[in-house]
Amino acid sequence: MKIAILGGDGFCGWPASLHLSDLGHEVVIVDNLSRRAIDEELGAESLTPICSIDERLAAWKEVSGKEIGFENIDVAQDYDGLLNFINTYKPDAIVHFAEQRAAPYSMKNSRNKRYTVDNNTNATHNLLVAIVESGLDIHVVHLGTMGVYGYGTAGMKIPEGYLDIKVEVDEDENGNTIDPTLVDQQILYPTNPGSVYHMTKVLDQTLFAYYAKNDELRITDLHQGIIWGTHTDQTARDERLINRFDYDGDYGTVLNRFLMQSAVGYPLTVHGTGGQTRAFIHIRDMAKCIQIAIENPPARGERVKIFNQMTETHRVRDLANLIADISGAQVEMVPNPRKESAENELHVVNDTFLDLGLNPTKLAEGLLHEVEDVARKYADRADMSKIPARSLWTQNQAEGVPPSVAESAGGAGNPDSAAKA
Ligand code: NAD
Ligand code: USQ
C-alpha cells in the first residue's frame, strides 16, 4: 500500500512510519519540522539525541534496505503544496499526526492558543478539502484523543465515539400530537475538552463527520490515550533511528516524565491530589493500532469509524507510588497548574482493537525499567530547569503556585511575558 504519514517526524509518527515501512508498505513522511522548531523556542530538547530527518531516513535505508520518502510541507499553511503532493503521490491511505499536541503548550498564552487552533484545524481541513479536490479515494486515519470525551464516565463506560440515545417523539411529521414514543438514535458522544489543544480535536471530529457525510470520504478517527515508552522494534535497531523522549513541562507526558524524573533523581511531580485517572497505551501498541486501522477502512458512504486507542487506565498518584516503590524515587505533590477535576473515574470501551487482534502491552515492571534505563542512559542531556510544568490554565492559579514557578510562567525574561504584554 502507498501510505503518507503527515507528522511522520514526531514522537508517534516516526515509529509508526518505520513500522509500516518494515511491513513492506511504500511510505512517505510529510512534515514541516515544526516540533523541532518548538524545541528551540522552548529551549528544551528531546532527552534522547534524535538525528535530523535526513540522517534518520538514510539510517533506515542502510539498516533495512527500505526507502522512506520525505516532503517538507506545512499542511496547515501550504494547501497547494499538499494538493500537489496528493495528486502526484496518490496515496491509498494518509495517516494524520500533524498537529500541535501539547495541552500545556496550547494554554501558555494567546499566541499559543491561536497557533494551536489555526495549525490543527487548518491542517485537518486542508487535508480533507485536498482529498475531495484530488478526486482520489484515500482512507484518512487521524490521531485524535481520549480527551475529546473529557474524563468523566456518567456511570457508564465511554463508548467508541457514538452514544446510543432514545428521543421522545410526541408529534407526527404533520405536527399532530401522538402518544409519546421512544425513538433510537446515535449521536457523537458529548464532548468536554480540558484544554485548547483538546478542543481542536473536538473541532476535528465535526470536520470529519461533515466530509464523511457530504463527500463520502473514508475516515477513521483514533481516540488515543497517553502514550508511554520510547523504543519500538524498529527504532531500537540503530542509535540513529532513536525516537524522541519529551520530559519538559510542556511536552513531556506523565508516565514518561515520572520514569525520567526517577532516573535522574528528581522528585515525581504529582499535580494536586494526583487523583486524575487517564487512559494509557504503549508506543509499540500505537504503531500496531495504526496498522490495524489502515487494514480495516470504512466503506465509502459509511460514517466516521471511531476507535478508542487505549489499553488501560491509571490514576496519576498510583503511577507515582508504583514507580516510587520499584525505584525508591521521592513523590512530591505540587500545586496543579491545570484546571481539572481533583479526582475522576474513567472506564472505557476498547473492544474494536482487541477484536481486530491487538494484544495489549500492559504496564509491567520490566517495561517501566526499560524506559527508565533509556532515561538514565541520556541523563547527562537532562536540563532540570525544564522539568516543572509552568503553563497555567488560568491566571488566578498563579496564587497557588510557588513564586519560582509563577514568576517563570509570567515574569520578565520569559518569552511568554512578551506575548501577554
Ligand atoms: P509530535 O509533536 O511529536 O509530532 C507531531 C508532528 O507533526 C511533528 O513532527 C510536527 O513537526 C508535525 N506537524 C505539526 N504541525 C504540522 C503542520 N502544520 N504541517 C506539517 N507537519 C506538522 O506529537 P506526537 O506525540 O507524535 O502526536 C502525534 C499525534 O497523536 C497528535 O495529533 C496528537 O494529538 C496525537 N496523540 C498523541 C499522544 C501522545 O501521548 N503523544 C496521545 C494521544 C494522541
Ligand atoms: N500530570 C501530573 N504531573 C506531571 C505531568 C502531568 O500530575 O508531571 C497530570 C496532569 O495534570 C494530567 C495528567 O497527568 O492530569 C495527564 O497529563 P499529560 O501531560 O500526561 O497528558 P495530556 O495533557 O492529557 O496530553 C497527552 C498528550 C496529548 C494527548 C493526551 C491523551 O500530550 O497529545 O491527546 O495525552 S488524553 O490524556 O487521553 O486525552
Side-chain angles (χ1 to χ4, degrees):
M1 221 185 257
K2 273 184 164 184
I3 303 173
I5 312 281
L6 312 187
D9 186 46
F11 171 60
C12 296
W14 176 241
S17 300
L18 296 185
H19 177 73
L20 294 169
S21 172
D22 212 19
L23 289 172
H25 295 294
E26 202 181 305
V27 173
V28 175
I29 288 174
V30 175
D31 202 299
N32 67 347
L33 309 182
S34 52
R35 179 68 193 86
R36 291 176 188 255
I38 291 175
D39 268 348
E40 282 177 27
E41 172 193 323
L42 296 174
E45 270 189 300
S46 163
L47 186 66
T48 47
I50 53 170
C51 286
S52 71
I53 184 72
D54 291 340
E55 288 166 318
R56 280 179 153 186
L57 297 177
W60 179 241
K61 191 171 173 193
E62 196 185 303
V63 168
S64 71
K66 292 175 174 127
E67 213 154 332
I68 294 180
F70 173 64
E71 297 285 338
N72 187 330
I73 300 171
D74 184 330
V75 178
Q77 302 281 336
D78 182 7
Y79 176 75
D80 291 341
L82 175 66
L83 177 63
N84 184 40
F85 165 76
I86 290 175
N87 279 329
T88 310
Y89 186 64
K90 298 186 178 16
D92 301 296
I94 297 182
V95 187
H96 174 25
F97 292 98
E99 296 184 78
Q100 192 299 101
R101 69 101 176 134
Y105 184 81
S106 79
M107 300 303 291
K108 254 180 169 10
N109 52 44
S110 309
R111 173 188 164 273
N112 287 19
K113 289 176 187 175
R114 293 174 56 240
Y115 165 70
T116 303
V117 170
D118 291 350
N119 186 65
N120 294 3
T121 50
N122 277 336
T124 299
H125 193 235
N126 280 350
L127 172 63
L128 299 171
V129 176
I131 294 175
V132 172
E133 191 172 342
S134 74
L136 296 166
D137 181 18
I138 299 169
H139 176 205
V140 175
V141 176
H142 171 253
L143 274 291
T145 177
M146 285 298 301
V148 297
Y149 305 119
Y151 307 103
T153 60
M156 61 183 284
K157 278 187 162 186
I158 294 181
E160 301 202 81
Y162 299 96
L163 180 67
D164 294 321
I165 60 164
K166 289 187 189 297
V167 185
E168 192 179 271
V169 177
D170 57 7
E171 276 185 358
D172 65 16
E173 51 277 12
N174 301 318
N176 301 317
T177 304
I178 56 168
D179 287 342
T181 322
L182 287 178
V183 175
D184 289 325
Q185 281 201 7
Q186 268 197 336
I187 57 168
L188 277 171
Y189 191 89
T191 58
N192 187 13
S195 73
V196 166
Y197 153 71
H198 287 96
M199 183 183 71
T200 64
K201 298 285 179 176
V202 169
L203 300 174
D204 283 347
Q205 256 200 162
T206 306
L207 297 174
F208 294 138
Y210 177 76
Y211 281 94
K213 181 185 70 169
N214 194 64
D215 299 281
E216 302 194 349
L217 294 194
R218 294 184 298 127
I219 302 168
T220 302
D221 197 5
L222 303 174
H223 288 186
Q224 183 168 259
I226 301 171
I227 304 283
W228 68 283
T230 180
H231 288 327
T232 61
D233 292 347
Q234 291 78 29
T235 64
R237 279 163 76 174
D238 189 289
E239 178 86 6
R240 292 166 297 167
L241 299 173
I242 202 162
N243 198 17
R244 47 179 316 128
F245 190 130
D246 295 309
Y247 68 93
D248 63 282
D250 286 315
Y251 275 88
T253 50
V254 65
L255 182 49
N256 274 6
R257 264 166 71 77
F258 285 175
L259 291 165
M260 178 274 177
Q261 291 168 0
S262 153
V264 301
Y266 193 100
L268 313 186
T269 49
V270 172
H271 292 168
T273 59
Q276 306 82 22
T277 306
R278 292 289 184 273
F280 291 85
I281 179 167
H282 191 271
I283 194 149
R284 288 187 202 131
D285 286 353
M286 176 282 300
K288 178 76 180 168
C289 286
I290 302 292
Q291 175 199 336
I292 293 174
I294 290 172
E295 289 168 354
N296 293 277
R300 244 188 125 91
E302 193 178 328
R303 72 178 182 186
V304 178
K305 269 194 178 181
I306 301 177
F307 303 167
N308 290 339
Q309 187 163 309
M310 51 71 68
T311 54
E312 54 197 318
T313 59
H314 294 283
R315 203 175 287 278
V316 168
R317 65 169 171 262
D318 294 343
L319 288 177
N321 290 334
L322 174 68
I323 293 167
D325 282 348
I326 61 178
S327 68
Q330 281 191 340
V331 176
E332 192 183 345
M333 315 300 273
V334 300
N336 197 339
R338 306 186 184 203
K339 190 168 180 176
E340 58 187 358
S341 306
E343 302 277 328
N344 72 285
E345 297 291 331
L346 186 60
H347 304 288
V348 181
V349 175
N350 65 343
D351 295 343
T352 308
F353 277 124
L354 299 179
D355 291 348
L356 291 172
L358 177 71
N359 184 13
T361 309
K362 292 279 181 78
L363 200 127
E365 208 172 310
L367 278 172
L368 293 174
H369 282 306
E370 181 191 298
V371 182
E372 236 187 310
D373 288 346
V374 174
R376 203 167 291 116
K377 181 170 177 194
Y378 298 105
D380 61 327
R381 290 173 48 85
D383 178 347
M384 306 298 181
S385 74
K386 298 297 174 191
I387 292 179
R390 298 198 160 93
S391 177
L392 306 179
W393 260 232
T394 61
Q395 286 311 305
N396 56 16
Q397 274 168 292
E399 288 161 22
V401 175
S404 58
V405 173
E407 259 166 43
S408 34
N414 185 287
D416 299 347
S417 53
K420 273 181 198 149

